[in-house]
Amino acid sequence: MRQQLAELFSYMDETRDKLVGTAQSINPAFAGVRPKQDGWTAEENLAHLAIVEDRVSRLVAWGVDWAKTNGIGPETSDESIMSSLDEHGVADATVKMQAPPTVAPPEGRPIDESLTSLAASRPRLKEALIAGQGLDLSSVKRGHQALGDINLYQWALFVAQHEERHRRQIEKAMGEVTAMAAESAPIV
């Protein structure tokens, strides 16, 4: 496996491990409670991530197939892509972004269902990238609503950074929800 891909996969694994740890620490009674600032619930954040990763894994698989059938040449660089989206601040949870309706989360989707979906889509995303090894996937680009045209490696990086963004949002939401519960608890 090329260094570029190994580095990307390592980061994807790191962000996933952190997300799963955060999800497993959520009090199920609070998972569907909306935080003070009208953000998404923990359930909605995880459902959104599951929808996005499923869509991106299909987009990357399609892009690799397209690259194979359209004569995309061999990879010419093994330069790291890890900082290639830094200017967009994808992992920055302090900047509010509006998700398009196609990836808006449904209400009430159980956390376990979203985690199962995420566990299924991650291998598909990695397998698609592995299937494209040797091809110049940095030259295959597809548009992103907020980031513009990004290449297939950047799409995978986006998934990991996006996951980190929402993990931070979940932690903030759960802090707010816990504080709201404490404020409304009877004093004995």
Side-chain angles (χ1 to χ4, degrees), residues 103-155:
V103 294
E107 285 188 33
R109 183 178 183 185
I111 287 175
D112 288 345
E113 187 178 315
S114 295
L115 290 174
T116 298
S117 177
L118 287 164
S121 59
R122 181 55 53 92
R124 287 196 309 265
L125 178 55
K126 287 181 172 182
E127 288 165 9
L129 290 165
I130 290 168
Q133 277 195 115
L135 296 172
D136 185 10
L137 299 183
S138 63
S139 69
V140 180
K141 298 182 179 182
R142 295 296 174 260
H144 180 280
Q145 177 184 355
L147 310 180
D149 286 344
I150 58 176
N151 68 49
L152 297 185
Y153 294 122
Q154 289 173 314
W155 272 103

Side-chain angles (χ1 to χ4, degrees), residues 69-113:
T69 59
N70 285 281
I72 294 299
E75 190 73 59
T76 57
S77 171
D78 200 25
E79 185 177 320
S80 175
I81 57 120
M82 298 308 295
S83 62
S84 66
L85 296 178
D86 285 0
E87 69 184 277
H88 300 289
V90 175
D92 182 1
T94 62
V95 177
K96 186 160 176 71
M97 297 182 79
Q98 182 67 38
T102 55
V103 294
E107 285 188 33
R109 183 178 183 185
I111 287 175
D112 288 345
E113 187 178 315

Side-chain angles (χ1 to χ4, degrees), residues 3-19 80-83 85-86 89-92 122 126 153-165 167-168:
Q3 177 61 32
Q4 185 180 53
L5 210 50
E7 182 180 47
L8 177 58
F9 284 2
S10 176
Y11 179 66
M12 291 168 71
D13 292 344
E14 177 186 326
T15 58
R16 176 55 54 86
D17 289 346
K18 287 163 100 176
L19 177 70
S80 175
I81 57 120
M82 298 308 295
S83 62
L85 296 178
D86 285 0
V90 175
D92 182 1
R122 181 55 53 92
K126 287 181 172 182
Y153 294 122
Q154 289 173 314
W155 272 103
L157 177 61
F158 164 78
V159 163
Q161 290 182 345
H162 181 247
E163 205 166 77
E164 177 59 16
R165 170 191 189 81
R167 184 191 67 78
R168 292 173 181 171

